Amino acid sequence: MAAPETLGGPVLKDVVAYVEVWSASGTENYSKTFINQLADMGAKVSKTFNKQVTHVVFKDGYQSTWAKAQKKGVKLVSVLWVEKCRTAGVHIDESLFPAANPNEHLPSLMKKKRKCMQPKDFIPKTPENDKRLQKKFEKMAKELQQQKTTLDNDVPVLLFESNGSLVYSSTVKICRGHHSAMEKRLQEMKEKRKNLSPI
């Protein structure tokens, strides 16, 4: 089966679109998917709502965008219009897929502004890509090495008991479990670093 955009060439070549597509909760911005689909069909996509815009793809967007589009007489279409154009491979009549605005009749004081809280390029922090984590990891490894040296030299140390109290302990009384627990934790961190795959 041929890709829809190859059926009629750039089916939306005369369209200049502004896309504002949000989740119903208003926390997730889904515009990028539709921007890419429009561009694949030959439409020009504007990052701002300017004089050249002929179509606004709208779902749960800002009331100001809706009002501006209506005032300028720009075609307000739903995301279904984009999908139908893509699957049919032709420029579908916009009146068949009008955008809906559930906030249109709300008083202006009740309209809330929102911003997408998800970072655009989220990369989880690891010691490889974060200098602060790398320094902490190196410091932990250095402290472990110093503890090994301290334990080997039979020097008394201060330890935290499981109930949170601080205890002065000679090397005879030192719980090897405290030392091995830190060593085990460092080993686990090293294993996790090896298992992380770059995004």
Side-chain angles (χ1 to χ4, degrees):
M1 184 174 156
E5 56 268 12
T6 59
L7 294 175
V11 295
L12 300 179
K13 64 181 179 194
D14 297 326
V15 172
V16 178
Y18 175 71
V19 182
E20 198 165 284
V21 179
W22 289 80
S23 63
S25 64
T27 56
E28 301 291 326
N29 188 343
Y30 296 128
S31 299
K32 193 167 189 166
T33 302
F34 297 98
I35 289 170
N36 293 339
Q37 288 179 1
L38 287 163
D40 289 345
M41 291 184 281
K44 291 179 184 162
V45 181
S46 176
K47 291 184 179 184
T48 59
F49 193 155
N50 56 39
K51 292 177 184 176
Q52 286 77 39
V53 171
T54 60
H55 292 68
V56 173
V57 179
F58 189 89
K59 182 193 173 298
D60 294 314
Y62 294 103
Q63 180 61 31
S64 58
T65 303
W66 178 270
K68 187 174 180 180
Q70 285 192 321
K71 183 178 177 183
K72 293 185 178 262
V74 173
K75 294 175 183 170
L76 276 158
V77 293
S78 73
V79 294
L80 297 174
W81 176 77
V82 177
E83 181 61 20
K84 193 66 174 174
C85 288
R86 189 181 69 80
T87 55
V90 293
H91 188 140
I92 301 291
D93 181 15
E94 293 85 352
S95 64
L96 298 174
F97 298 95
N101 184 11
N103 298 326
E104 187 175 20
H105 302 294
L106 291 177
S108 59
L109 293 175
M110 292 181 68
K111 295 169 196 160
K112 52 186 175 175
K113 290 190 176 185
R114 57 191 175 259
K115 187 176 183 182
C116 184
M117 299 305 287
Q118 182 177 347
K120 289 184 180 179
D121 299 321
F122 177 73
I123 300 172
K125 291 183 179 181
T126 62
E128 286 80 16
N129 66 12
D130 187 288
K131 288 182 181 180
R132 178 185 257 165
L133 272 178
Q134 189 174 15
K135 285 180 183 178
K136 282 184 179 181
F137 186 77
E138 288 169 0
K139 185 179 177 186
M140 270 177 116
K142 191 175 179 181
E143 287 173 358
L144 178 62
Q145 191 58 43
Q146 286 175 343
Q147 279 188 354
K148 279 184 180 178
T149 306
T150 302
L151 290 173
D152 292 342
N153 292 338
D154 293 336
V155 177
V157 292
L158 290 173
L159 291 176
F160 282 99
E161 292 289 316
S162 58
N163 64 3
S165 62
L166 186 63
V167 178
Y168 178 77
S169 182
S170 65
T171 53
V172 177
K173 196 177 169 187
I174 289 179
C175 175
R176 286 274 177 186
H178 177 73
H179 173 69
S180 63
M182 187 170 184
E183 193 170 7
K184 184 179 176 184
R185 175 78 176 121
L186 273 172
Q187 189 61 37
E188 287 173 5
M189 288 174 68
K190 284 180 184 177
E191 291 298 319
K192 286 181 182 175
R193 278 178 62 190
K194 288 178 187 173
N195 295 336
L196 284 176
S197 62
I199 293 177

